[in-house]
Amino acid sequence: MDQATATATPAAAAPGGTADPAERRARSRLTRDLLLLGIVGVLLAAAIWAGFSSLYRLFWGPSAFVERYIGMIADGDAAAALAVPGVALDDTDLEAAGLPITSSDALLRSAALTFELTDVAVTEKPVGDEEIEVTATYAIDGVAGKTTFHVTQVGSDGLTPRWGFATSPLAEIRATVLGSMQFSVNGFEMDKRQVSPDREKADPVAPVSLLVFSPGIYSVEVDTATAETGPVKVLADAALKSVPLEVQAEPTKAFTQVVKEKVSAFLAECSTQQVLQPSGCPFGIQIDDRVFADTIAWSIPSEPNVEIVPDGAYWAISPATGTAHIEADVRSIFNGLIYHYSEDVPFVIDGTVDILSDGTASILVGSPALR
């Protein structure tokens, strides 16, 4: 072969088929770039998933759903809380929960949501294929509390789920208020005749069933012209739970004074009767000699210490001892002599104190001796 031909022939490949250094460097860069792109993709997917999970937890998950509901209660927005899916109850729901179908919804209003609800924290766990249990801890008027909610998915808006309560978080206060038909709950004034199914014929000693939001703390109080109590608080912290509450009102000092004046007037009226046995009165005396009727004079030197005590729906006047005094001129049937009779006569009074439907008081004073 001549020199020209030899010069034109390409160089033979390196033994073993090894690529030249430039090609190897290009392949190495491609591999590194693909690896970096893969890592970036994984990190980006993880970031997207983490962001979605965070948004789900904060805005779209069952815990966020419960937090929003509790926030509505904390803000006093009863209308919004009642509109949350699964909160409102109908007669069928009440009956299934063992609550009276006549339960009043009078307290499902903002005016009754006057407590402070703070420091809310929630945790969740699945309890079945369709339900999630969300437990919330909180402070309510400074008292630590915990409520467990059952939540279920009720639909979706695109990729985001919509939630509702599988069990309504409403509760019931079974309130028995003795001594008054009127009372207040968290400052909201109520009358048994407004919330009882019997209305004007409501039994004063029968409890009334009041639906309330949970969690919530409710303070029941009586403050009328005739009766009063200090606040009695009850915590509603469980779904569809019936919470019993009994309040015994006491007569006000002003009303007690009215009763005392009524007793005094009753005894004063009795003392005007110029007979040995005043009609309908707790005192009297038997004198065997002949009494000059126009000389009979009764007085009340010692009135009974009137005390009003609880009795059924209202009160009774506790039996109390007083003293009447009689003065009279008497002729002896033995010897015909006239003498002056003077004697203290002890007696006992009692009575009943009722409040009528028009708000007036019925005070009946009597005596065990008359029955």
Side-chain angles (χ1 to χ4, degrees):
M1 181 179 295
D2 60 20
Q3 185 65 33
T5 303
T7 300
T9 302
T18 302
D20 63 31
E23 184 177 352
R24 288 200 303 272
R25 286 192 299 271
R27 288 180 178 177
S28 177
R29 283 194 300 271
L30 178 60
T31 300
R32 185 172 64 253
D33 291 344
L34 290 174
L35 180 60
L36 289 173
L37 286 173
I39 293 173
V40 170
V42 170
L43 292 175
L44 181 60
I48 293 172
W49 176 252
F52 179 82
S53 297
S54 179
L55 290 173
Y56 180 86
R57 181 179 61 81
L58 291 174
F59 300 107
W60 303 323
S63 291
F65 167 76
V66 169
E67 285 182 307
R68 283 194 296 275
Y69 164 75
I70 294 177
M72 295 170 188
I73 294 176
D75 292 339
D77 193 346
L82 194 59
V84 171
V87 174
L89 295 169
D90 58 23
D91 290 355
T92 302
D93 299 326
L94 290 168
E95 189 172 22
L99 300 178
I101 61 173
T102 55
S103 297
S104 171
D105 61 359
L107 291 179
L108 300 180
R109 62 181 68 209
S110 297
L113 300 179
T114 58
F115 44 82
E116 185 179 40
L117 186 55
T118 58
D119 301 332
V120 178
V122 296
T123 58
E124 64 180 64
K125 68 175 182 179
V127 292
D129 294 336
E130 298 183 354
E131 283 191 22
I132 295 174
E133 186 178 275
V134 180
T135 299
T137 59
Y138 46 82
I140 185 164
D141 280 355
V143 178
K146 181 171 74 172
T147 299
T148 297
F149 304 90
H150 288 266
V151 177
T152 188
Q153 187 172 343
V154 296
S156 61
D157 295 317
L159 296 177
T160 60
R162 287 187 287 112
W163 302 97
F165 288 108
T167 301
S168 171
L170 296 183
E172 178 220 19
I173 295 177
R174 193 75 57 89
T176 302
V177 180
L178 302 175
S180 178
M181 293 294 281
Q182 296 154 325
F183 60 99
S184 67
V185 181
N186 284 1
F188 179 70
E189 298 292 337
M190 309 187 72
D191 190 300
K192 294 178 190 177
R193 290 160 290 198
Q194 295 173 332
V195 295
S196 167
D198 298 325
R199 297 301 178 186
E200 290 298 323
K201 296 181 179 179
D203 184 349
V205 300
V208 290
S209 176
L210 306 168
L211 294 176
V212 294
F213 290 106
S214 69
I217 194 165
Y218 298 90
S219 178
V220 179
E221 190 170 2
V222 175
D223 185 12
T224 69
T226 60
E228 62 186 356
T229 66
V232 179
K233 295 186 177 183
V234 63
L235 176 66
D237 61 353
L240 299 180
K241 179 181 179 181
S242 181
V243 184
L245 173 71
E246 182 168 323
V247 176
Q248 175 64 64
E250 299 292 340
T252 62
K253 291 181 179 179
F255 186 59
T256 299
Q257 184 60 36
V258 169
V259 175
K260 289 181 177 180
E261 291 172 358
K262 177 73 172 181
V263 171
S264 294
F266 167 74
L267 295 175
E269 176 64 28
C270 284
S271 69
T272 64
Q273 299 185 40
Q274 288 187 296
V275 293
L276 296 180
Q277 300 285 341
S279 177
C281 297
F283 53 81
I285 195 170
Q286 183 72 38
I287 300 177
D288 293 333
D289 289 331
R290 181 176 297 174
V291 179
F292 295 95
D294 60 351
T295 67
I296 295 174
W298 286 99
S299 61
I300 311 294
S302 177
E303 290 195 359
N305 182 24
V306 174
E307 181 182 2
I308 304 176
V309 295
D311 181 42
Y314 298 106
W315 307 284
I317 299 173
S318 182
T321 301
T323 302
H325 183 80
I326 186 172
E327 299 276 348
D329 290 336
V330 181
R331 183 187 297 274
S332 172
I333 61 174
F334 176 71
N335 56 22
L337 295 176
I338 296 175
Y339 62 95
H340 188 74
Y341 188 91
S342 177
E343 186 172 347
D344 286 340
V345 180
F347 65 90
V348 177
I349 63 104
D350 61 7
T352 59
V353 182
D354 296 325
I355 305 299
L356 305 181
S357 59
D358 62 359
T360 60
S362 171
I363 304 170
L364 299 178
V365 184
S367 171
L370 300 176
R371 291 188 290 274

